[in-house]
Amino acid sequence: MAIADVYKLVEKGKSKLIAEAVEEALEDGDSAVDILNDGMIKAMDKVGEKFKNGEIFVPEMLIAAKTMKKGVEVLKPHLATGAAGALGKVIIGTVAGDLHDIGKNLVIMMLESAGFEVIDLGVDVSKEKFVETYEANPDTKIICCSALLTTTMPALKDTVALINAQPFRGSVKVMVGGAPISQAFADEIGADAYTEDAASCAKKAKELAA
Ligand code: B12
């Protein structure tokens, strides 16, 4: 029942009630991963569907996002496990023109708990900024780029192309992700790796950084 409550609260954007519901679900013995996947991410899928069907608009999407962020704050200590920074640096950002950051932030959380030090460039990040940040941090192991819109897939492609053209390219791995991205697209644009979600991103990042 508790995960269903979390789902409803995220779907309806009840940001004041979410923290308590997540705490209750944890107390009831639901795992943090289940609360995240079955409560929050599924609710966001539903929100996206309702937006697509014209049942809700941008403000409702924004309120749902805010609610999820508050819920994730409660989950964070239960999802994170580990030795911060021990595996090296990762640079991450959402590409130019794209303001979606919930998925990116989950990826950061999983990377940090896997042991990476993460430099978060935020959203709407220019391709030049990714390159400049690497140049200022040449010990970076992986550059991660997120894109959530089909209309920002070209920006992802341009970002990877600029990174691929740099003399440092052989020393760093490039990972891409986000709902519209696929392995085929990642291959086409010359990224080293794509994964579907935050947990698999952290797992793959460990392999790449080894
Ligand atoms: C919340 C939301 C918003 C919020 C974002 C708030 C925020 N701070 O992020 C707001 C209201 C700002 C917004 C705006 C818009 N949105 Co919006 N949004 C969503 C929504 C409902 C949820 C996104 C989300 O957070 N999902 C949950 C997270 C956990 O999933 P995720 O982001 O996919 O991330 C996971 C994986 O993809 C992966 N991952 C992510 N990044 C990376 C990176 C790497 C390297 C790796 C390996 C993996 C990885 O791991 C993550 C965790 O498991 C989606 C619908 C959906 N189901 O995705 C629409 C959706 C993405 N939005 C959409 C649209 C159209 C828009 C707008 C254009 C609407 C408008 N008319 O203004 C604007 C664009 C603004 C902009 N320039 O970016 C469409 C996109 C359609 C398309 N074909 O591209 C969607 C799909 C809704 C829909 N069904 O129509 N949106």
Side-chain angles (χ1 to χ4, degrees):
M1 216 23 221
I3 288 185
D5 292 341
V6 170
Y7 178 101
K8 279 274 164 241
L9 292 173
V10 172
E11 186 193 351
K12 302 214 173 308
K14 302 284 183 196
S15 65
K16 293 201 177 97
L17 303 175
I18 189 72
E20 203 183 321
V22 172
E23 270 155 19
E24 266 174 30
L26 288 166
E27 275 162 27
D28 285 356
D30 291 317
S31 81
V33 172
D34 287 347
I35 298 170
L36 179 68
N37 289 334
D38 299 337
M40 299 184 190
I41 295 180
K42 276 200 187 145
M44 288 311 256
D45 286 342
K46 181 73 184 170
V47 168
E49 220 175 274
K50 283 164 86 177
F51 173 79
K52 203 164 119 193
N53 296 336
E55 292 166 49
I56 61 166
F57 301 95
V58 170
E60 286 94 336
M61 243 186 344
L62 205 50
I63 294 166
K66 186 176 155 200
T67 307
M68 173 156 176
K69 282 189 178 184
K70 284 200 170 175
V72 169
E73 281 306 309
V74 180
L75 283 185
K76 216 171 176 176
H78 300 271
L79 288 166
T81 50
L87 291 184
K89 278 184 196 165
V90 175
I91 295 169
I92 191 167
T94 304
V95 299
D98 199 321
L99 302 176
H100 295 83
D101 69 355
I102 295 178
K104 170 186 70 63
N105 293 343
L106 288 177
V107 168
I108 292 174
M109 206 164 77
M110 298 309 282
L111 285 170
E112 284 179 343
S113 65
F116 289 97
E117 176 188 342
V118 180
I119 301 174
D120 179 14
L121 302 179
V123 296
D124 191 16
V125 179
S126 70
K127 52 186 191 291
E128 293 82 10
K129 181 79 183 166
F130 282 100
V131 170
E132 283 160 21
T133 308
Y134 180 85
E135 285 167 348
N137 297 276
D139 53 341
T140 298
K141 298 269 179 65
I142 305 168
I143 301 175
C144 288
C145 307
S146 180
L148 254 289
L149 298 168
T150 46
T151 50
T152 54
M153 288 168 74
L156 180 64
K157 184 180 177 186
D158 292 348
T159 303
V160 176
L162 187 67
I163 297 168
N164 285 352
Q166 301 306 310
F168 62 69
R169 180 61 174 97
S171 316
V172 71
K173 300 289 184 193
V174 177
M175 288 190 77
V176 295
I181 311 307
S182 62
Q183 184 64 55
F185 186 71
D187 292 342
E188 186 192 315
I189 66 175
D192 295 305
Y194 154 83
T195 70
E196 200 176 77
D197 60 30
S200 56
C201 175
K203 194 164 165 250
K204 187 72 188 175
K206 272 186 172 177
E207 285 170 33
L208 292 176

